Every structure is written in C-alpha cells, then in structure tokens.
C-alpha cells in the first residue's frame, strides 16, 4: 500500500519536473499562434506571425548569418576536431589523459567567460593590427564558433578511436596503403559515426549559441539569437514567439537525431548529448 | 641450394629503454617454413613486426635479397602479414577484404582479374560462396582464412603469421595446421610463423627458432631442436626432459649421481660440469638388480598410449614414459642406451628446469587453464 503511494508520489514528481522544464516553452509555442499581440489572453489561432517573419529583412539576414556560421564552423571544427582526436589517440597515455582534460575544459566553462575572453583576444589582436573595434564581425564570430565547437567533435570522435583495432592500420599499410590512404580507406569508415555525430552536435551548439556570439560578432553582424534578444529590448511583437518556436523546433530535431544515432551505434561510444555535456 | 631471402643482422629493439630484442642474428630462406617459438613476451611479435616493416629496430639491419630495407615502409615490402587478431576490415565484406590490396596496386588491375584472383584465393582457403558475407558474421576459423587469403592474394615472397591458430579449438587447430602447410607448399613461398605451442612448431616447420627473453636460444630443424637441445631452456621448452647435473669424465663418459655412464658426446674439457638431458621415452625399465640406477615409483598417470610415471632417484624425481604398468611404491631399475644421454654445456638456465618434484596429475590441467584464460584476456576467443 505504501509502495503504491510512493510510486504515485514519484510519478507526480516526474510530471512536475516536466511541467517545470517545458511549461515556458509550451506557453511560447501557444502564443506564437495567438491572433492578437496579447501575451495573456488567447484570442484565436493564426499563422500571421510566422508569415511576417519572412518579410522581415533584418531577421532573414540574421538567419543567414546563423546558418552560415553554423555550417562553416561545424565543418571546420569537424575536420580539426577529428585530426585532434587522432593526434590524441596516437599520443602516449601519459600525455593523452591530461591534454584531453585540458581540451575539454571549454565545454564546461561558462559561456560568458568564453565569450568575454574571445572578445578580448580579438579586440587586442585587432588593435595590434591597427583595427579599432570594427575588427569584430563575421570572421571573428566564425573563429569563436570553431573554437568552442572543436571540443565537442573531439569528445564525440575519441571513443570511436578507442574502439579501433590497432592492427587495422598496420593491415592496410601491409596491403599497400600509404598512411593517408590507410586513414581514408580504413580508419575513417570506422570512426564515421562519431564524426557525423560530432558535426551534428557542433552545428546544434552553433545555432543554439547566444552569449559567445554576442561578445564576438561586433556591431554589424547579428545572429538569429542576437536578433531575438534585440527584439525583446525594442518592441513587443509575437514574432519573437514565432521565431523562437522555430529555433526551438530545429534544435530539438537535431538533438533527437543525434541521440537516435548514438543509440543505434552501440552504447559504448555514446558521447551523450551536447546539452548534457554542457551542464 | 636454399636461397637466403631475409636477414636480420645484429638487430636489437628497445621500448623506452627496455630491451625486448637483444642482438638477433638470423636469416630466412626462400620457400622455407620457419617458426619463431617461445614463451609469451619473448619478442616473437616484435621480430615479426620488424620484418613486416611496422617497427624500425633500435639498432641493426634488415636485409631483403641482400638489400638493406630498414627504411622501406610495409606497403613497399614483398611481405604480407596475417595478424594475431586477424585485423579484418569490418566495414567490408569477405570479397572486398580480399580484394583490398589488389585495388591499391598500380598499374591498376582490371576488375576481371581482381575477381579471378580473389576467387582463386577463396578457393584455396575453402571459402567459396562466402564472398558477400560480412566478416563479423564469420566464425573464428573462417575469419582466419579470410585473413590468410587477403595476404596471399598479394602474391608475397614471404608470409608472416602471428599465432594464427591461437584462438581456434584443438580440432580446428590440427586441421588448419595441415591446411597451412599445404598452402605453403602449393604457393611455394616462405612462411615465418609465430607460435608458443611447441607441438605445432615441431609438426609444421622446416626450421624452428627458439627464443626466450629477446634472445635466440637455438636455430635448427625440429629434429635437431628436439634431439640436440642447446641448453636447459630449450630442452625443457621442447617436450618433456629430465635434466640433471653431470660431469664429463672423458669423451663419451658422463657421471651422474656418482655413477659413470656411456654416452655419445665428446669434445668437453676433462671433468667439465655439464647439464645432462634424458628424455622420458629414452629410459628403459628393468628389474632392480639389472638397473644402472634404482628408484621408487611415486606416481602413475595413464596417458592412453603409455603411462607417465614419476620415479624418485636419490631424492631427484624423473618423468619416465613406459608401456609397462609399475604400481606406486615399486622399486625399479632403469637402463639408458648411450644415445639416450644428451650432454649440454652449463648455461644461465642450468638448474632452473628438468626436475619433476612438483609434478602432479593436475599439472597439465593447470597449464591448459592458464592458456585459455590468457587467450580470453587477449580477446582471441572466437565469438
Ligand atoms: N609498443 C610497445 N611498447 C612497449 N613495449 C612493448 C611494445 N611492444 C611490445 N612490447 C614489449 O616487448 C616484449 C615482447 O613483446 P612481443 O609482443 O614481441 O612478445 P610475444 O613474444 O609476441 O608475446 P605473445 O606470445 O604474448 O604474443 C613484451 O614485454 C612487451 O610488453
Ligand atoms: Mg605476440
């Protein structure tokens, strides 16, 4: 009897937890379809706000910035992160463990610290090169995203390297591969699931980011999340709800894909979701 | 007659200052079946990896057909390897695994010729019809044969095999031993074979190289190694041996337990201290009054074809193989023909082997269990 009560209590807790976690987003989504600008009263269903999004030129350009940065930074970070993981793998254990820890610190570091420090670096380098503040822009934004994305790729690819049979590379070279061919023909197919997961995580993190972008994009370049932030400061528009809903849906979809892939490719190499790593 | 193909000259290998191979000198002949035999960790794999080009020796030279090849990468050596754990490419099927090396060759080999050579190779290893299976779905023995086909399709001059049968069960092992020997003779190439199983080494090889602790102990034909072991380590590692201290009183006269025996060895210094090996099957049991030595039977084990008995001679226990049943406690005499004694110079291994005082019936089981466990730890047991 008490057991039943406990179980009921547990269920209630789980429900409360999910309400707590998702109620704000649910409200956001609901009001993105609200016919009037009211943020308290439901006045009828509409797609109006979504339609307006596409006629907002600033918004569209910030969307392109976000997508551009996400695509470029995740691609570059994937290449760099995979090569870094290979270098770690070939290292002596004595060096590998501490270096790997150091390389993963940015993942748990507060975004604000990463953002401020990158901004400081860019500005001082810019000044050194004779630029004033105008130095910050798409280039620095991209560099910042590449920088915070690399550790996620390393974390995702590293377990795949650990599973790799050492002799596979030897066997490939034995049969006539150059070291480069051995990598593309034998190693890459083995670690590919980790590489793709790493790239998806990097893309997601990039789309998701606000704080680091805010500090490194300068005054002329704007990402979607920066635009949303700016909108909240200027005027009240349900467009914010609409664009936030879209952003949430895209990130959620990516996370679901990543998780699904990881579960499919054996649990041993599960690099957990980006969110989990971050928290 | 036999042409020298590969030579290791003063090859030493050290990892982080720890010496693993110590001044190895050895040559491998064309079309020879040569086995590197030794206990775990003695440097067999390391030797093979040096020949294959995966390791560069710390010092010393590797020659192929008289040309120094220290700096030639594995892809450019006319040597292919069957790895200790197969190392098949899991993302490719059987056909593509075997075709892998052919596809890399320049000038390009036509798809038709590739298919013909792969087919021929799969025929040789009896894997026709398995072309499209994934390699992970194969049994250990089948994976082994894919690994052999993948290496042999390259038509190497030398095939290196690192404990290729280590993960197989006894029966399959025996079948594959014959299979490998047949393939080697059919292809007319050199096999350099690594094992720690002395029976396997004796059964398959033209030449056996016994190694221990990074040093070559003896090189010779299986018969030489068995009949004329160079030191107590070799005598003990190859088959069963009773090894006792002796003194060469003169040419062809050896003294053990204070008694002089006729033997066939000569060339030792007068009164030189030596190790004397007597194989269990070279001892004849005779009535006590006719025996050269008299001892008491302390244990009897039935082995099917014969009995293994342990006999106590003056506190030193011998293993003797006999077809006559001798009950425990019986006093027996023994006779040994002069050819039954094998005299060895004293070595660092003197006194370490050849005493059966700790022998018991469980002895075999214990060592078998250890082997299985070791294989399991290495992940070599087929799923
Ligand atoms: N890359 C390496 N780094 C450090 N030590 C090594 C390395 N490779 C081998 N060793 C050491 O060298 C010694 C010989 O190793 P090797 O693999 O040649 O032995 P083996 O005779 O093949 O043994 P087994 O029968 O167990 O396969 C061992 O002590 C091993 O630990
Ligand atoms: Mg080995």
């Amino acid at each position: 009897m008490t057991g039943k009560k406990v179980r009921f209590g547990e269920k209630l807790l789980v429900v409360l937890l999910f309400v707590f976690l998702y109620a704000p987003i649910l409200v956001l989504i609901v009001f993105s379809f609200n016919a009037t600008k009211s943020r308290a009263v439901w006045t009828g269903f509409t797609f109006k706000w979504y339609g307006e999004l596409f006629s907002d030129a600033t918004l569209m350009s910030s969307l392109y910035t976000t997508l551009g940065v996400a695509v470029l930074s995740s691609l570059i970070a994937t290449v760099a992160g995979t090569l870094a993981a290979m270098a770690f793998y070939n290292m002596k254990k004595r060096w590998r463990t501490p270096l790997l820890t150091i390389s993963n610190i940015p993942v748990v570091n507060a975004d604000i610290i990463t953002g401020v420090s990158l901004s400081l670096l860019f500005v001082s380098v810019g000044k050194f090169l004779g630029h004033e503040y105008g130095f910050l822009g798409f280039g620095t934004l991209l560099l910042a995203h590449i920088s915070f994305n690399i550790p996620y790729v390393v974390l995702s690819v590293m377990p795949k390297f650990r599973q790799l049979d050492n002799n596979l590379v030897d066997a490939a070279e034995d049969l006539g591969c150059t070291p480069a061919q051995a990598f593309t023909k034998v190693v890459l197919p083995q670690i590919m699931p980790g590489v793709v997961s790493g790239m998806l995580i990097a893309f997601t993190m990039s789309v998701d980011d606000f704080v680091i972008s805010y500090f490194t994009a300068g005054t002329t370049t704007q990402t979607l999340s920066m635009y949303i932030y700016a909108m909240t400061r200027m005027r009240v528009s349900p467009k914010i709800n609409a664009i936030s809903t879209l952003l949430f849906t895209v990130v959620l979809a990516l996370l679901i894909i990543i998780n699904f892939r990881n579960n499919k490719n054996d649990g041993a190499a599960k690099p957990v979701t980006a969110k989990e790593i971050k928290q | 007659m036999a042409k020298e193909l590969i030579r290791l000259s003063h090859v030493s290998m050290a990892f982080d200052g720890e010496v693993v191979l110590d001044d190895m000198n050895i040559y491998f002949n064309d079309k020879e079946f040569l086995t590197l035999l030794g206990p775990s960790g003695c440097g067999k794999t390391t030797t093979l990896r040096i020949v294959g080009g995966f390791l560069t020796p710390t010092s010393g030279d590797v020659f192929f057909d008289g040309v120094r090849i220290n700096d030639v990468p594995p892809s450019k050596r006319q040597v292919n390897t069957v790895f200790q754990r197969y190392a098949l490419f899991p993302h490719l099927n059987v056909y593509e695994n075997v075709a892998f090396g052919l596809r890399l060759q320049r000038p390009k080999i036509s798809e038709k010729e590739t298919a013909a050579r792969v087919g021929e190779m799969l025929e040789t290893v009896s894997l026709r019809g398995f072309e499209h299976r994934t390699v992970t779905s194969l049994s250990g023995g089948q994976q082994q044969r894919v690994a052999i086909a993948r290496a042999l399709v390259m038509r190497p001059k030398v095939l290196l095999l690192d404990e290729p049968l280590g993960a197989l069960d006894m029966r399959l092992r025996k079948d594959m031993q014959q299979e490998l020997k047949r393939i080697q003779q059919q292809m007319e190439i050199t096999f350099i074979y690594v094992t720690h199983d002395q029976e396997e080494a004796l059964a398959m090889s033209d030449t056996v190289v016994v190694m221990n602790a990074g040093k070559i102990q003896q090189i010779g034909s299986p018969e030489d190694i068995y009949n004329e072991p160079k030191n107590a380590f070799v005598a003990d590692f190859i088959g069963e041996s009773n090894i006792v201290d002796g003194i060469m009183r003169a040419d062809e006269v050896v003294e053990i337990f204070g008694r002089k025996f006729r033997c066939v060895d000569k060339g030792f210094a007068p009164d030189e201290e030596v190790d004397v090996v007597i194989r269990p099957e070279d001892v004849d049991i005779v009535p006590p009054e006719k025996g050269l030595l008299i001892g008491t039977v302390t244990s009897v084990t039935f082995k099917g074809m014969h009995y293994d008995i342990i006999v106590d001679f003056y506190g030193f226990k011998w293993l003797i193989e006999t077809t006559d049943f001798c009950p425990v406690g019986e006093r027996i005499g023994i006779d040994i023909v002069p050819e039954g004694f094998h005299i060895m110079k004293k070595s660092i291994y003197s006194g370490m082997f050849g005493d059966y005082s700790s022998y018991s019936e469980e002895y075999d089981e214990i060592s078998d269990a250890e082997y299985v466990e070791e294989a399991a730890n290495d992940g070599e047991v087929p799923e």
Side-chain angles (χ1 to χ4, degrees), chain A residues 27 30-32 34-44 236 238 241:
Chain A
V27 171
V30 168
F31 278 95
S32 75
N34 197 3
T36 63
K37 286 192 172 184
S38 168
R39 278 187 286 183
V41 193
W42 178 257
T43 47
V236 183
N241 300 341

Side-chain angles (χ1 to χ4, degrees), chain B residues 50-67:
Chain B
I50 286 173
V51 175
F54 305 108
L55 283 177
T56 311
T58 321
S59 65
D61 296 312
V62 185
F63 296 98
F64 188 96
D65 244 347
V67 183

Side-chain angles (χ1 to χ4, degrees), chain A residues 165-231:
Chain A
D165 177 355
N166 269 328
N167 281 333
L168 285 184
V169 174
D170 286 347
E173 291 189 19
D174 189 58
L175 295 167
C177 281
T178 61
Q181 283 175 316
F183 180 78
T184 53
K185 285 178 190 294
V186 173
V187 176
L188 206 51
Q190 307 301 315
I191 61 168
M192 209 52 194
V195 173
V196 173
S197 287
M199 191 163 67
L200 285 174
I201 294 172
F203 185 86
T204 313
M205 297 316 292
S206 181
V207 170
D208 210 32
D209 176 69
F210 165 70
V211 178
I212 297 170
S213 303
Y214 185 79
F215 281 99
T216 53
T219 45
T220 50
T221 312
Q222 205 174 31
T223 65
L224 198 55
S225 51
M226 286 165 72
Y227 177 69
I228 294 171
Y229 177 70
M231 272 164 90

Side-chain angles (χ1 to χ4, degrees), chain B residues 120-240:
Chain B
E120 182 195 352
M121 235 28 262
L122 288 176
E123 188 81 55
T124 307
V125 298
S126 327
L127 276 181
R128 266 279 190 215
F130 285 76
E131 284 85 350
H132 301 294
R133 290 274 291 273
T134 60
V135 290
T136 41
S137 73
L138 300 180
S139 74
Q142 290 164 339
Q143 291 189 19
Q144 182 58 71
R145 282 182 280 167
V146 175
I148 292 166
R150 184 181 67 175
L152 282 179
V153 80
M154 303 303 290
R155 299 185 177 154
K157 285 235 172 90
V158 179
L159 186 69
L160 310 179
L161 302 101
D162 195 352
E163 306 209 20
L165 310 183
L168 307 183
D169 66 46
M170 205 46 161
R171 243 201 101 97
L172 204 52
R173 257 178 110 95
K174 292 263 184 286
D175 290 349
M176 281 300 289
Q177 284 177 13
Q178 300 199 338
E179 186 87 357
L180 281 174
K181 189 76 196 170
R182 176 185 66 74
I183 291 171
Q184 187 252 340
Q185 281 162 355
Q186 181 187 328
M187 311 269 305
E188 297 196 310
I189 59 173
T190 306
F191 272 33
I192 303 179
Y193 190 94
V194 161
T195 183
H196 56 236
D197 179 340
Q198 47 103 4
E199 231 175 274
E200 192 168 286
L202 296 182
M204 299 173 80
S205 322
D206 302 318
T207 305
V208 178
V209 179
V210 184
M211 296 176 62
N212 188 43
K215 289 198 183 70
I216 294 177
Q217 303 297 325
Q218 188 169 1
I219 305 177
S221 69
E223 290 82 1
D224 284 349
I225 299 273
Y226 189 86
N227 295 328
E228 307 285 329
K230 257 205 184 126
N231 61 35
F233 175 83
V234 178
D236 181 73
F237 197 73
I238 311 290
E240 303 286 350

